[in-house]
């Protein structure tokens, strides 16, 4: 469904991704693993067109999107939940969610029923400003905003980072449910290997801006984790 073919990505003159080849299968969770600073976030930003230059090809359902602007990629069905969440603190919960709807291809501006089902706290507090929410609630809001775009693919950049332990398990269950029950294709940047093993079908390990090993999640060995993730 989604394929990187010999992709290089740059911030100004800094060459971050090197000859990345990766296939993300429709309806699966692909976990992107590796130490900090290996290019995992840049991989997601490259997919969204948020780096300064991209060489190579990125294809979504045989459509070449590597040269398209970010809004066209969003309308093609890719939603992004960035590291740090990046909600707008002075917007209400409702306004933050509806921002995602501007990427819908059908022009609807509404909160999806799925958001109401997954995040009852948000629905009961739609007039509260996003900035007063806890880290976990803001992460829920960021996921809800992405779902308002009616995506086919959702990119999640370390969704449990900085979240209180009581909500981590809830976020993990929601991510798995979005894939298993809703059918979303998920690219998950994650440091928690145990969660990646529970959630993902496949993995890609990154080192110095390259995918150094990939395969079925059952093939992810402890030796690989130690070699490429141990500090």
């Amino acid at each position: 469904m989604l394929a990187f073919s010999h992709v290089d990505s740059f911030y100004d003159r800094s060459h971050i991704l090197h000859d990345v080849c990766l296939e993300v299968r429709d309806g699966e969770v692909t976990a992107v693993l590796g130490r900090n600073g290996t290019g995992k976030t840049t991989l997601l930003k490259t997919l969204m067109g948020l780096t300064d230059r991209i060489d190579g090809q990125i294809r979504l359902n045989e459509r070449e999107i590597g040269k398209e602007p970010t809004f066209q990629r969003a309308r093609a069905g890719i939603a992004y939940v960035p590291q740090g969440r990046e909600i707008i603190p002075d917007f209400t919960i409702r306004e933050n969610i509806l921002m995602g709807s501007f990427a819908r291809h059908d022009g609807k501006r509404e909160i999806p029923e799925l958001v109401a089902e997954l995040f009852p706290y948000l629905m009961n507090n739609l007039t509260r400003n996003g900035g007063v929410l806890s880290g976990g609630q803001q992460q829920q809001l960021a996921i809800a905003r992405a779902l308002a775009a009616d995506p086919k693919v959702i990119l999640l950049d370390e969704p449990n980072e900085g979240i209180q332990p009581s909500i981590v398990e809830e976020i993990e269950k929601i991510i798995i449910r979005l894939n298993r029950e809703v059918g979303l294709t998920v690219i998950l940047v994650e440091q928690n290997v145990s969660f990646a093993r529970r959630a993902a079908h496949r993995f890609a390990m990154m080192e110095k801006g390259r995918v150094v090993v990939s395969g079925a999640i059952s093939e992810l060995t402890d030796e690989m984790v130690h070699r490429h993730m141990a500090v």
Side-chain angles (χ1 to χ4, degrees):
M1 176 182 181
L2 178 64
F4 294 77
S5 180
H6 303 288
V7 171
D8 291 74
S9 191
F10 302 79
Y11 295 117
D12 195 14
R13 285 181 287 184
S14 296
H15 191 173
I16 308 300
L17 297 187
H18 301 263
D19 196 34
V20 170
C21 295
L22 178 66
E23 290 188 358
V24 176
R25 298 182 181 181
D26 187 19
E28 292 190 350
V29 177
T30 298
V32 181
L33 307 170
R35 297 182 182 91
N36 289 333
T38 57
K40 303 186 301 296
T41 292
T42 299
L43 182 75
L44 300 189
K45 288 187 173 182
T46 298
L47 181 51
M48 292 306 302
L50 297 174
T51 60
D52 294 332
R53 191 175 100 236
I54 301 168
D55 295 332
Q57 287 191 333
I58 303 174
R59 303 190 70 83
L60 177 65
N61 290 334
E62 302 308 318
R63 170 180 170 180
E64 166 58 39
I65 63 171
K67 303 303 180 185
E68 293 187 359
T70 297
F71 79 92
Q72 291 284 20
R73 303 182 197 208
R75 288 183 178 172
I78 305 174
Y80 180 35
V81 181
Q83 190 176 30
R85 300 172 280 277
E86 296 183 12
I87 61 128
I88 299 180
D90 293 332
F91 277 22
T92 65
I93 289 173
R94 181 192 299 275
E95 289 167 338
N96 269 284
I97 295 173
L98 289 177
M99 280 185 60
S101 69
F102 283 86
R104 288 182 68 108
H105 59 85
D106 58 10
K108 292 182 179 179
R109 302 288 180 262
E110 61 186 23
I111 298 176
E113 291 183 7
L114 178 61
V115 168
E117 181 182 345
L118 293 175
F119 305 114
Y121 174 83
L122 299 181
M123 298 304 295
N124 291 330
N125 293 274
L126 288 172
T127 60
R128 295 193 76 190
N129 282 0
V132 305
L133 302 179
S134 70
Q137 291 163 345
Q138 288 187 7
Q139 185 63 279
Q140 292 177 351
L141 179 55
I143 294 172
R145 178 183 59 194
L147 294 176
D150 190 30
K152 303 298 183 289
V153 181
I154 189 166
L155 317 180
L156 297 160
D157 194 351
E158 299 203 29
N160 289 324
E161 184 182 46
I163 293 178
Q164 55 270 45
S166 61
I167 297 186
V168 166
E169 184 177 355
E170 181 180 347
I171 294 291
E172 291 180 353
K173 287 180 178 178
I174 286 170
I175 292 169
I176 292 172
R177 183 176 176 185
L178 288 174
N179 172 253
R180 306 301 198 267
E181 297 182 21
V182 181
L184 286 180
T185 301
V186 179
I187 302 180
L188 173 68
V189 167
E190 186 54 67
Q191 293 283 355
N192 185 330
V193 174
S194 62
F195 172 48
R197 282 176 164 146
R198 290 195 306 274
H201 300 87
R202 302 185 65 78
F203 77 97
M205 187 72 73
M206 296 196 68
E207 188 83 53
K208 297 181 180 179
R210 303 176 186 273
V211 174
V212 291
V213 61
S214 63
I217 197 68
S218 60
E219 298 170 352
L220 177 64
T221 65
D222 291 341
E223 190 275 333
M224 288 179 189
V225 172
H226 180 75
R227 187 194 317 166
H228 298 292
M229 298 186 70
V231 176

